[in-house]
């Protein structure tokens, strides 16, 4: 079920009508939320519900086992990790692994894999990571596991964040689930604002940029015009940002309406003046997950400087692989690792704030780094990525984008919005202080109208595939 | 706290007013929702038929099930042709699923153009796109399309034209029927319009005779099950027929021979008897004329059957 579909509108309306009554009874609330979430997921393909149940039950029992049998806790943790990573490997990476084995050894493993295993279940990386972090945190003694199976599955499968995050931590979410907190009117208004903003980003900006990006990257005859490719890559950078942050906004808004609070997942990442800063603003819940469960356990930056670089490279390469089963994603992680290493060596973040000119120069460099990395992320092959980069940096051809008015308008809207954030003038437009409350309502009414009439041709949220 | 009391409702009310105004002012494209509904219905409707027509756009625009049903009232006819619709196992399987299991006789009519038996149409992209469409989108397209048309999206270019006072120009009329036929008309007619597209396609992909053999194999299977198979070459302009023969490597005589040897029945069509509006597609009047002709040929065959 897509957030931007009519069927979700029905689903959400029905859900919140029942939720009003369900929330006073904790047990009913948890069962209702779990059932509704499974319905939400099963609407896409009910056959994969068993994966959430499988992953969930393993971690539910492993966590209880860790507390009940402290002597075997390491064994239980290893079992949980192997089961989760094993599931992910089978359903997300079996095609990629077998293809590469075939290439290396000349075997034909790939053709023998059952087609069912070659379908990547929507959101598998998200709920598997969420489930794994639950057991790891119980192992580390951060909180006690719940014995209420519905509380656990309500946490794991909660529909607003099930398929594309934000990845929420059990220690933050479990207490909220059994709490009696009623959403205040402010929460409802904030939730409403987030949902409208999220829909605008996804349906108006991302969906209108999608055809431009698809035309450029899917064309069998690649353009040899540098300007065209710079435009296409910038369009993709904003498409993926609006698509994913739009989804996160809607998820956070729905959670607010339910009386819960999700962590912020994006904070204007393209205004970053260092890559370290970028990773503190882009997909924050995943970045912090990798920091806490991969980078720090590897030793973080507490060991030698050399070792900390190695740890960061491992983390970024795994992050790349998490995004997709292809070499292009791994290289994307590698490109970010390379630029992060360079930043650390030259001490970039410390030097950048001296004056506005240096800050601006730093920003230009960071944007260039990010765009180069996005080429690998979006390209269908490593060869295509290098071809595009070669064309981009050859600076040849004419100054035409080939989009016409349609694409340019939407790209311009989001670029202007981010520039406003970068130079700080967005704060001057805070409604409550200057223009007034009615103007704010009118602003959101206009946004809804724009969503209705300027929505692009619908497509799935990009991050569903991860 | 008070200021938050009714603001969601007030915002929604303001939005409804604005949507009402903009829905009235902004230009509409009624063709879009009818087209979306048509293709989703074509693939996802669960009705069964005992006369199914396969082929590409020349067939779904060129064959009207109404005319066939008028002449052969014992049949429920469905035009199951697609844009770049390839005749290959994917579509044969889907056709079997649409055939009425009960009742005899059953007929399959094949519109065999060069495009249906070359590698370009092998993926049956349009069919697959519809087949894999999200359930909710199918639901929306089939049941809500008409109502959602009031809210049909516009583009900045359409707004620019609206401001400049330029009306949307549509010289291509398509009426979408639930039986799979697209009743078409285009003004002005230009019988050379489609030529460059076909020239490009045929240069890369000419007729694949392995696919013809595969089709013949399928005809044998259908005939062995008692399903009668008829085939014809969809008419086109004379230059296009010549292009299809030469660059497209379409040997009508050989294809007819192979189909007949497999148990199928070839219906000869004289391309000079039909006028196209773009060189490859028949307008509604011509489509009716062709459909009547084919239905009569089938009727004659059925009546003469021992």
């Amino acid at each position: 079920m897509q957030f931007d579909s009519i069927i979700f509108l029905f689903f959400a309306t029905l859900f919140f009508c029942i939720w009003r009554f369900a929330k006073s009874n904790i047990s009913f609330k948890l069962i209702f939320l779990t059932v509704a979430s499974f319905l939400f997921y099963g609407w896409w393909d009910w056959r994969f519900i068993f994966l959430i149940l499988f992953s969930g039950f393993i971690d539910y029992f492993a966590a209880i086992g860790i507390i009940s049998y402290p002597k075997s806790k390491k064994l239980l943790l290893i079992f949980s990790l192997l089961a989760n990573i094993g599931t992910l490997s089978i359903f997300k990476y079996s095609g990629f692994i077998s293809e590469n084995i075939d290439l290396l050894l000349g075997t034909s493993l790939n053709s023998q894999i059952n087609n069912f295993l070659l379908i990547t279940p929507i959101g598998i990386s998200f709920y598997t990571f969420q489930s794994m972090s639950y057991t790891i945190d119980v192992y580390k003694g951060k909180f006690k596991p719940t014995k209420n199976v519905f509380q656990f599955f309500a946490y794991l499968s909660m529909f607003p964040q099930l398929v594309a995050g934000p990845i929420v931590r059990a220690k933050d979410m479990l207490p909220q689930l059994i709490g009696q907190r009623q959403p205040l009117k402010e929460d409802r208004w904030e939730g409403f604002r987030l949902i409208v903003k999220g829909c605008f980003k996804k349906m108006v900006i991302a969906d209108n940029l999608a055809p431009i990006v698809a035309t450029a990257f899917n064309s069998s005859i690649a353009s040899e015009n540098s300007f065209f490719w710079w435009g296409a890559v910038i369009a993709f950078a904003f498409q993926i940002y609006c698509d994913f942050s739009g989804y996160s906004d809607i998820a956070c808004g729905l959670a607010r309406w339910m009386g819960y609070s999700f962590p912020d997942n994006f904070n204007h990442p393209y205004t970053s003046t260092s890559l370290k800063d970028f990773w503190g603003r882009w997909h924050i819940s995943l970045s912090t997950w990798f920091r806490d469960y991969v980078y720090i356990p590897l030793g973080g930056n507490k060991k030698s400087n050399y070792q900390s670089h190695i740890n960061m490279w491992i983390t970024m390469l795994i992050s790349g692989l998490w995004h997709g089963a292809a070499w292009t994603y791994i290289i994307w992680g590698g490109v970010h690792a390379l630029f992060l290493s360079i930043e650390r060596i030259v001490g970039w973040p410390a030097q950048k704030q001296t004056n506005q000119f240096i800050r601006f120069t730093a920003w230009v460099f960071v944007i260039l780094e990010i765009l180069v990395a996005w080429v690998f992320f979006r390209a269908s092959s490593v060869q295509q990525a290098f071809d595009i980069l070669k064309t981009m940096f050859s600076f040849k051809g004419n100054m035409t984008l080939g989009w016409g008015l349609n694409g340019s308008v939407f790209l311009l809207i989001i670029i202007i919005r981010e520039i406003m954030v970068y130079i700080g003038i967005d704060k001057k437009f805070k409604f409550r202080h200057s223009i007034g409350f009615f103007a704010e309502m009118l602003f959101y009414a206009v946004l809804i109208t724009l969503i209705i009439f300027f929505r692009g041709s619908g497509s799935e949220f990009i991050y569903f595939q991860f | 706290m008070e200021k938050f009391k009714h603001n969601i409702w007030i915002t929604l009310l303001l939005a409804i007013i604005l949507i009402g105004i903009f829905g009235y002012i902004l230009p509409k494209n009624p063709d879009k929702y009818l087209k979306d509904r048509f293709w989703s219905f074509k693939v996802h409707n669960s009705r069964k038929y005992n006369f199914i027509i396969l082929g590409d756009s020349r067939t779904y625009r060129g064959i009207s099930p109404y005319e066939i049903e008028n002449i052969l009232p014992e049949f429920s006819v469905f035009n199951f042709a697609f844009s770049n619709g390839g005749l290959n196992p994917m579509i044969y399987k889907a056709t079997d699923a649409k055939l009425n299991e009960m009742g005899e006789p059953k007929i399959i009519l094949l519109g065999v153009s060069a495009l249906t038996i070359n590698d370009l149409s092998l993926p049956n992209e349009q069919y697959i796109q519809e087949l894999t469409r999200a359930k909710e989108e199918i639901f929306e397209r089939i049941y809500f399309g008409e109502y959602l048309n009031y809210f049909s999206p516009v583009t900045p270019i359409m707004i620019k034209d609206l401001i400049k006072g330029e009306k949307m120009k549509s010289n291509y009329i398509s009426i979408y029927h639930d039986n799979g036929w697209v009743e078409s008309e285009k003004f002005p007619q230009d019988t050379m319009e489609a030529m460059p597209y076909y020239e490009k396609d045929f240069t890369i992909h000419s007729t694949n005779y392995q696919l013809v053999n595969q089709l013949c194999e399928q005809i044998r299977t259908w005939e062995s099950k008692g399903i009668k198979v008829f085939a014809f070459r969809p008419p086109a302009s004379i230059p296009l027929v010549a292009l299809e023969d030469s660059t497209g490597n379409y040997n009508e005589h050989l294809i007819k021979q192979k189909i007949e040897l497999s148990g199928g029945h070839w219906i000869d069509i004289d391309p000079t008897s039909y006028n196209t509006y773009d060189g490859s597609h028949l307008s509604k009047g011509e489509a009716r004329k062709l459909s009547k002709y084919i239905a009569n040929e089938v009727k004659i065959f059925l009546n003469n059957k021992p």
Side-chain angles (χ1 to χ4, degrees):
Chain A
M1 218 178 275
Q2 290 250 94
F3 282 167
D4 55 348
S5 65
I6 298 265
I7 199 75
F8 180 75
L9 195 66
F10 282 121
F11 170 85
T13 307
L14 191 65
F15 176 85
F16 283 104
C17 285
I18 301 173
W19 186 253
R20 280 178 73 91
F21 304 102
K23 65 194 176 193
S24 52
N25 182 328
I26 302 288
S27 299
F28 180 69
K29 183 175 87 167
L30 295 175
I31 294 169
F32 175 60
L33 180 54
T34 308
V35 172
S37 299
F38 278 114
L39 177 72
F40 174 84
Y41 191 79
W43 192 267
W44 166 69
D45 194 333
W46 58 269
R47 291 175 303 170
F48 292 105
I49 286 179
F50 88 92
L51 273 180
I52 307 177
L53 289 168
F54 175 75
S55 211
F57 272 120
I58 281 181
D59 287 299
Y60 171 75
F61 286 115
I64 292 173
I66 284 168
I67 295 297
S68 310
Y69 307 101
K71 282 182 184 170
S72 313
K73 69 178 203 173
K74 200 164 194 166
L75 202 66
L76 285 161
L77 177 71
I78 291 168
F79 171 70
S80 153
L81 294 180
L82 285 177
N84 279 301
I85 295 167
T87 313
L88 204 55
S89 305
I90 292 167
F91 282 93
K92 187 165 177 174
Y93 301 107
S94 55
F96 175 66
I97 294 166
S98 60
E99 260 174 39
N100 284 285
I101 291 174
D102 288 350
L103 211 66
L104 275 175
L105 307 175
T107 51
S108 56
L109 270 177
N110 194 258
S111 58
Q112 290 165 34
I113 295 177
N114 188 306
N115 280 344
F116 181 67
L117 299 180
L118 293 175
I119 306 169
T120 304
I122 281 179
I124 186 171
S125 307
F126 285 95
Y127 60 74
T128 308
F129 268 37
Q130 199 158 303
S131 197
M132 271 162 67
S133 68
Y134 174 80
T135 316
I136 298 169
D137 283 351
V138 170
Y139 175 82
K140 285 181 176 173
K142 288 189 178 171
F143 61 86
K144 290 224 171 350
T146 175
K147 287 186 177 167
N148 183 336
V149 72
F150 286 107
Q151 188 188 6
F152 175 76
F153 275 103
Y155 150 72
L156 187 64
S157 66
M158 194 191 287
F159 74 86
Q161 50 78 241
L162 174 62
V163 289
I167 299 171
V168 290
R169 305 288 176 91
K171 68 176 169 53
D172 301 324
M173 212 54 232
L174 288 176
Q176 290 192 58
L177 282 167
I178 50 163
Q180 285 279 21
R181 186 177 179 269
Q182 306 290 326
L184 303 171
K185 285 195 168 62
E186 288 94 323
D187 290 323
R188 291 205 188 101
W189 178 236
E190 182 57 23
F192 179 80
R193 283 163 21 122
L194 282 167
I195 291 167
V196 174
K197 276 196 283 188
C199 287
F200 183 82
K201 282 188 200 169
K202 160 66 184 161
M203 295 166 74
V204 179
I205 306 290
D207 283 355
N208 276 303
L209 292 177
I212 295 168
V213 176
T215 308
F217 281 87
N218 299 349
S219 170
S220 52
I221 305 159
S223 167
E224 293 200 350
N225 181 351
S226 304
F227 195 67
F228 169 86
W229 278 114
W230 279 105
V233 176
I234 291 169
F236 175 65
F238 282 102
Q239 183 205 350
I240 194 166
Y241 167 54
C242 291
D243 189 286
F244 191 22
S245 71
Y247 185 95
S248 290
D249 285 347
I250 300 168
C252 292
L254 290 167
R256 284 282 184 121
W257 274 2
M258 291 159 73
Y260 303 136
S261 174
F262 285 172
D264 287 340
N265 217 14
F266 289 87
N267 182 20
H268 303 284
Y270 296 139
T271 61
S272 308
T273 47
S274 74
L275 263 194
K276 191 183 173 201
D277 185 19
F278 174 79
W279 281 106
R281 293 165 176 268
W282 178 274
H283 203 175
I284 301 164
S285 65
L286 181 74
S287 313
T288 49
W289 197 99
F290 274 110
R291 183 196 64 201
D292 296 347
Y293 299 102
V294 180
Y295 182 67
I296 291 173
L298 284 171
N301 49 8
K302 286 189 177 164
K303 295 182 181 172
S304 67
N305 194 24
Y306 173 73
Q307 186 61 45
S308 78
H309 277 274
I310 299 277
N311 295 340
M312 188 267 291
W313 270 81
I314 293 171
T315 309
M316 292 310 294
L317 292 175
I318 296 174
S319 165
L321 192 61
W322 177 91
H323 281 85
W327 284 106
T328 46
Y329 292 109
I330 298 171
I331 296 175
W332 171 77
V335 169
H336 271 280
L338 175 71
F339 289 134
L340 279 166
S341 275
I342 294 169
E343 270 191 9
R344 280 189 188 185
I345 292 163
V346 300
W348 189 303
Q351 290 174 8
K352 73 172 195 263
Q353 301 293 350
T354 46
N355 68 37
Q356 283 303 317
F357 177 73
I358 290 177
R359 185 170 171 252
F360 178 73
T361 311
W363 174 77
V364 171
F365 271 104
V366 170
I367 291 296
L368 280 176
E369 290 166 3
I370 294 165
L371 291 178
V372 167
W374 279 141
V375 173
F376 287 97
F377 195 92
R378 181 59 179 81
S380 51
S381 67
V382 176
Q383 184 59 48
Q384 191 197 21
F386 279 115
D387 288 346
I388 292 169
L389 285 171
K390 204 174 137 192
T391 310
M392 281 167 72
F393 287 97
S394 66
F395 302 106
K396 60 184 180 185
N398 53 29
M399 297 281 281
T400 48
L401 287 168
W403 302 346
L405 185 66
N406 282 348
S408 313
V409 166
F410 299 105
L411 188 61
L412 212 61
I413 290 171
I414 187 68
I415 288 177
I416 290 170
R417 165 74 186 139
E418 293 307 295
I419 288 173
M420 282 169 73
V421 174
Y422 176 79
I423 55 181
I425 56 169
D426 64 311
K427 292 186 182 102
K428 291 177 186 165
F429 287 93
K430 286 285 176 199
F431 289 108
R432 267 162 248 182
H433 305 302
S434 55
I435 309 173
F437 214 60
F438 182 78
E440 186 178 22
M441 288 188 281
L442 186 64
F443 174 75
Y444 282 96
V446 170
L447 277 192
I448 294 169
T449 312
L450 292 176
I451 291 166
I452 298 289
F453 291 110
F454 285 91
R455 65 189 188 275
S457 50
S459 59
E460 272 193 355
F461 285 93
I462 295 175
Y463 261 69
F464 276 16
Q465 61 187 293
F466 310 131
Chain B
M1 181 73 85
E2 268 308 294
K3 66 185 178 185
F4 291 104
K5 202 171 179 183
H6 298 298
N7 46 1
I8 292 179
W9 295 113
I10 295 169
T11 308
L12 288 175
L13 187 70
L14 285 170
I16 289 167
I17 295 167
L18 287 173
I19 290 165
I21 296 167
F22 279 88
Y24 183 74
I25 297 170
L26 293 174
K28 297 274 169 296
N29 183 4
D31 199 44
K32 180 163 185 324
Y33 91 85
L34 291 168
K35 193 164 112 187
D36 290 348
R37 185 193 175 280
F38 172 81
W39 290 112
S40 290
F41 186 80
K42 193 175 236 194
V43 174
H44 297 283
N45 88 77
S46 55
R47 287 183 207 164
K48 302 280 182 183
Y49 304 86
N50 56 359
F51 192 127
I52 295 183
I53 304 154
L54 300 180
D56 59 12
S57 60
R58 280 157 73 180
T59 300
Y60 73 66
R61 291 190 190 271
I63 303 289
S64 157
Y66 297 120
E67 313 307 321
I68 298 174
E69 283 175 351
N70 282 342
I71 295 166
L72 300 165
E74 68 272 35
F75 288 96
S76 57
V77 187
F78 187 59
N79 191 325
F80 197 45
F82 292 89
S83 298
N84 277 9
L87 295 171
N88 51 50
M90 187 191 297
I91 213 75
Y92 304 149
K93 201 175 159 191
T95 306
D96 284 339
K98 287 228 177 273
L99 271 175
N100 204 341
E101 283 171 23
M102 308 295 286
E104 293 287 339
K106 280 176 259 189
I107 288 178
I108 287 171
L109 175 65
L110 305 166
V112 189
S113 67
L115 203 71
T116 59
I117 42 174
N118 71 15
D119 293 344
L120 184 71
S121 60
L122 201 56
N124 264 313
E125 280 175 14
Q126 194 191 23
Y127 170 70
I128 290 295
Q129 187 188 28
E130 281 307 322
L131 192 70
T132 53
R133 199 175 286 289
K135 274 179 284 190
E136 58 262 38
E137 209 182 328
I138 297 161
F139 189 76
E140 278 173 34
R141 282 170 175 235
I142 294 178
Y143 300 105
F144 292 99
E146 191 179 347
Y147 310 105
L148 293 176
N149 187 45
Y150 189 80
F151 315 105
S152 62
V154 290
T155 60
I157 287 175
M158 286 162 83
I159 298 294
K160 194 179 130 198
D161 289 347
L162 183 77
I163 294 165
K164 280 184 164 181
E166 289 175 15
K167 286 192 175 173
M168 272 169 58
K169 300 177 199 83
S170 176
N171 57 348
Y172 198 2
I173 301 152
S174 294
I175 300 170
Y176 299 92
H177 297 274
D178 276 359
N179 57 19
W181 179 43
V182 182
E183 190 181 334
S184 317
E185 201 78 80
K186 195 171 188 183
F187 305 104
Q189 297 191 346
D190 175 6
T191 54
M192 294 304 282
E193 190 185 342
M195 285 292 281
Y197 304 102
Y198 280 95
E199 204 163 352
K200 190 179 147 206
D201 288 346
F202 291 150
T203 308
I204 305 167
H205 303 284
S206 59
T207 303
N208 179 344
Y209 283 89
Q210 274 184 335
L211 291 173
V212 177
N213 293 339
Q214 210 174 45
L215 172 66
C216 292
E217 199 56 49
Q218 182 63 39
I219 291 172
R220 274 186 216 105
T221 311
W222 278 327
E223 289 281 343
S224 69
K225 290 181 186 168
I227 302 165
K228 292 282 160 230
V229 181
F230 293 84
F232 70 103
R233 181 183 189 173
S237 66
I238 300 300
L240 188 64
V241 168
L243 180 77
E244 196 171 42
D245 289 345
S246 55
T247 318
N249 192 25
Y250 186 91
N251 185 336
E252 185 176 341
H253 179 70
L254 180 66
I255 293 166
K256 175 185 172 178
Q257 198 178 38
K258 278 175 176 270
I259 287 176
E260 285 183 336
L261 279 171
S262 313
H265 310 275
W266 186 267
I267 300 171
D268 287 309
I269 309 282
D270 175 11
T272 55
S273 303
Y274 300 92
N275 295 320
T276 63
Y277 54 78
D278 62 354
S280 69
H281 299 109
L282 302 183
S283 58
K284 58 185 180 184
E286 297 296 295
R288 286 198 182 103
K289 192 169 104 183
L290 176 68
S291 308
K292 276 182 199 164
Y293 173 74
I294 287 177
N296 279 319
E297 289 293 305
V298 172
K299 192 176 179 178
I300 293 165
F301 176 85
L302 293 177
N303 289 341
N304 292 341
K305 198 172 64 171

